[in-house]
Amino acid sequence: MSLSGALYSAASGLSATQAMSRVTADNVANSMTEGYVRREAHLVSSNTGEGGVYIAEISREVDTALTRMSRNENSKMAEQQAIHEGLSDYTLFLGEVGDGTSPAEKFAAFNSSLTTLVNLPSSSAAQQGVVFAAEDLAGTIRDASDRLASVRSDVDMEIRYEVAELNEKLYELQNLNHRLRDFDAGTLESAAYFDQVDGVLDDISGITDIRVTYTSDGWVNVFTTGGAALIEGDQVQDVTYNAGDGTLYAGTQEITANKTGVRGIESGSLAGFTALKNETIPQFQLQLDEYARGLIEAFESADASLTAGQAGLFTDNGNAFNAANTEGLASRLHVNDLLSSNTSGTAYLVRDGLGATSPGEASSVTQIQAWIDVLNGDMGADVGTGINADVSLSDYGAEMVTAQNLATTRAEQNYNAARSAAEVIDASRANVEGVNIDEEMQNLLLIEQSFAANSKMLTAVSEMLDTLLSAI
């Protein structure tokens, strides 16, 4: 090797070790930085006649398969988390069978008050006890319906927030796509750019499941796994939400989750909130409305004292049952004002019937027994409730509370399973992408040795040149 070749090799080696030390220093400095992916400098031999080495590329240590799996699993976890958190507060308020506060327990207390009254029909205290128990039952069902309406409102708001954040992230990607031309591939700047891109994609995957592709010039395209485009190059398909029917659109393409014939989203928080909005909450509301319907109809049908169109013990805001107006009936369930403890009601009506105009025989139990009997008949619950149609009114409350708590328990189990799966994949991804300080310190030692060797080479060449010059 000539002296000039040796000088070039040593100089290129020093330049390469300088770049490698910068990469390693960046790795160490950002070892705790969220979203930072370990860099590695790739050293190759120069193909020039003078030899030497140079840094061909600075790459990010990523595993595309693990990255894709991580986003898929986190998307599933976000979906289950949305469902679990949306239901847990409501069912905690609803209560459980046996806790003394749920609609099932209030019904049991009401049923018990009727049993007491049938044994003591002349007792004004027993009569008033039925009124109080009926009001307590109606109030509990109303409160559950109101709480469910609050959950529905919260879910609507969460969907709006998620849609707004999704659109913000899509436009952030659009901006990043434009910035790609500002630096060369394989540089530290390029690595930092793709860290940002991956961070945005990770955020989007929590909102909706995605499929990512790259154009030949490196621009990022994002689609739902169903195939609907969210961003292609610099063209963003704005996501919109129609609160009226619970539909989601990306541009003009419907992407509503779990809808037949739609290339919709399949997981992510939006899918979870949409499932609550369009499926779970409506079913819970129907169950409550059916409970209210069953109570109103049962006590109207079993009350021999009523005339056509006259309200019974339980009413729809004071009115008789109207089969054409059952939506939201649970929120309108009230005890007849003729009996209400808040008015100058007459408690004897629970013994003689709501149509009685004057007290009947003090020892009569005919009407009381008719009400007790009707509670044990088939309720004919709507098939949409998911509760057997032949369940009795006496058992319906417990069936409803159990079904709603079971849905919450199942959501919690699904969330825990999805979270465990996501954590396993995320740990594997972190092992690949994360910085190991021990390894970086070992790399620094090697870089230091390389720097020392190249410096020694430069010193040796300098001494040779000095010797040659002095001999002239």
Side-chain angles (χ1 to χ4, degrees):
M1 175 183 292
S2 66
L3 288 179
S4 61
L7 185 63
Y8 179 81
S9 294
S12 66
L14 285 175
S15 178
T17 54
Q18 182 182 23
M20 292 171 67
S21 64
R22 180 186 174 189
V23 170
T24 303
D26 277 358
N27 286 340
V28 173
N30 290 283
S31 60
M32 302 300 292
T33 301
E34 185 178 358
Y36 180 86
V37 176
R38 180 180 178 273
R39 279 68 153 138
E40 183 173 353
H42 297 275
L43 191 67
V44 296
S45 299
S46 173
N47 57 7
T48 65
E50 295 178 330
V53 294
Y54 67 97
I55 302 298
E57 178 188 14
I58 297 173
S59 66
R60 301 165 66 245
E61 295 301 293
V62 296
D63 185 318
T64 55
L66 273 178
T67 300
R68 183 173 60 254
M69 291 173 63
S70 173
R71 288 171 182 156
N72 286 341
E73 293 302 324
N74 277 286
S75 187
K76 294 175 183 176
M77 180 186 71
E79 175 190 10
Q80 298 304 326
Q81 182 177 7
I83 295 173
H84 166 58
E85 293 179 354
L87 293 180
S88 57
D89 287 345
Y90 164 73
T91 50
L92 184 64
F93 175 85
L94 180 73
E96 301 177 356
V97 174
D99 66 359
T101 62
S102 73
E105 302 307 304
K106 299 301 183 181
F107 183 89
F110 173 64
N111 200 7
S112 178
S113 70
L114 286 174
T115 302
T116 299
L117 182 61
V118 82
N119 291 305
L120 297 169
S122 62
S123 168
S124 59
Q127 294 167 5
Q128 197 62 44
V130 172
V131 176
F132 286 138
E135 289 181 330
D136 204 12
L137 172 60
T140 300
I141 294 174
R142 281 198 314 275
D143 289 345
S145 182
D146 291 344
R147 187 56 175 258
L148 195 58
S150 176
V151 172
R152 184 188 296 109
S153 177
D154 289 344
V155 167
D156 263 334
M157 188 61 66
E158 288 292 343
I159 294 176
R160 295 179 193 277
Y161 285 150
E162 296 294 270
V163 167
E165 184 176 359
L166 176 56
N167 284 325
E168 180 182 339
K169 295 298 178 181
L170 292 175
Y171 279 101
E172 189 173 345
L173 270 182
Q174 181 193 56
N175 181 54
L176 287 170
N177 277 341
H178 285 292
R179 285 177 50 198
L180 182 60
R181 65 173 70 95
D182 296 339
F183 43 78
D184 296 326
T187 61
L188 282 173
E189 292 76 12
S190 173
Y193 164 83
F194 281 106
D195 276 355
Q196 292 183 62
V197 170
D198 276 354
V200 174
L201 291 174
D202 288 344
D203 290 341
I204 291 176
S205 69
I207 301 173
T208 178
D209 51 301
I210 56 173
R211 178 168 56 84
V212 181
T213 64
Y214 294 87
T215 64
S216 58
D217 53 3
W219 282 29
V220 183
N221 296 327
V222 180
F223 305 85
T224 67
T225 53
L230 297 177
I231 177 173
E232 292 182 279
D234 64 351
Q235 184 62 49
V236 174
Q237 300 295 332
D238 291 277
V239 179
T240 56
Y241 168 58
N242 186 330
D245 57 12
T247 56
L248 291 164
Y249 282 83
T252 59
Q253 175 73 56
E254 184 174 359
I255 58 171
T256 309
N258 304 318
K259 189 170 182 180
T260 304
V262 171
R263 297 161 63 185
I265 58 179
E266 298 175 3
S267 57
S269 57
L270 265 182
F273 287 129
T274 302
L276 286 173
K277 160 83 175 182
N278 296 339
E279 299 170 20
T280 308
I281 292 176
Q283 184 180 54
F284 280 16
Q285 186 63 61
L286 179 60
Q287 291 171 352
L288 288 168
D289 289 345
E290 278 293 280
Y291 202 7
R293 177 196 64 79
L295 287 168
I296 296 173
E297 278 198 308
F299 280 84
E300 283 183 359
S301 64
D303 192 337
S305 68
L306 296 178
T307 57
Q310 188 175 3
L313 193 154
F314 292 100
T315 72
D316 178 356
N317 268 345
N319 301 311
F321 176 71
N322 179 0
N325 186 28
T326 59
E327 185 175 351
L329 184 59
S331 65
R332 306 192 302 271
L333 180 66
H334 285 84
V335 170
N336 197 309
D337 284 344
L338 294 173
L339 283 172
S340 175
S341 60
N342 295 324
T343 65
S344 56
T346 308
Y348 73 82
L349 294 175
V350 300
R351 178 193 64 203
D352 301 330
L354 273 294
T357 56
S358 60
E361 185 179 345
S363 61
S364 175
V365 297
T366 302
Q367 184 56 73
I368 305 169
Q369 189 60 55
W371 280 334
I372 293 175
D373 291 341
V374 79
L375 298 181
N376 296 315
D378 290 350
M379 182 179 160
D382 190 305
V383 66
T385 62
I387 298 174
N388 291 333
D390 57 359
V391 69
S392 68
L393 194 55
S394 291
D395 294 333
Y396 183 87
E399 291 279 348
M400 180 191 72
V401 171
T402 299
Q404 295 189 1
N405 275 282
L406 182 60
T408 302
T409 300
R410 189 180 300 113
E412 182 178 14
Q413 292 172 343
N414 291 340
Y415 168 53
N416 289 333
R419 182 177 60 183
S420 296
E423 287 173 350
V424 169
I425 299 299
D426 285 347
S428 298
R429 182 182 177 186
N431 286 336
V432 172
E433 298 181 354
V435 176
N436 185 313
I437 295 297
D438 290 339
E439 290 181 1
E440 299 304 322
M441 292 300 102
Q442 292 174 8
N443 287 339
L444 279 177
L445 288 175
L446 294 174
I447 292 170
E448 182 182 2
Q449 293 170 3
S450 176
F451 184 87
N454 284 293
S455 296
K456 189 171 183 179
M457 174 67 77
L458 282 176
T459 301
V461 171
S462 177
E463 291 174 351
M464 289 178 186
L465 288 173
D466 288 344
T467 301
L468 289 172
L469 289 172
S470 64
I472 297 175

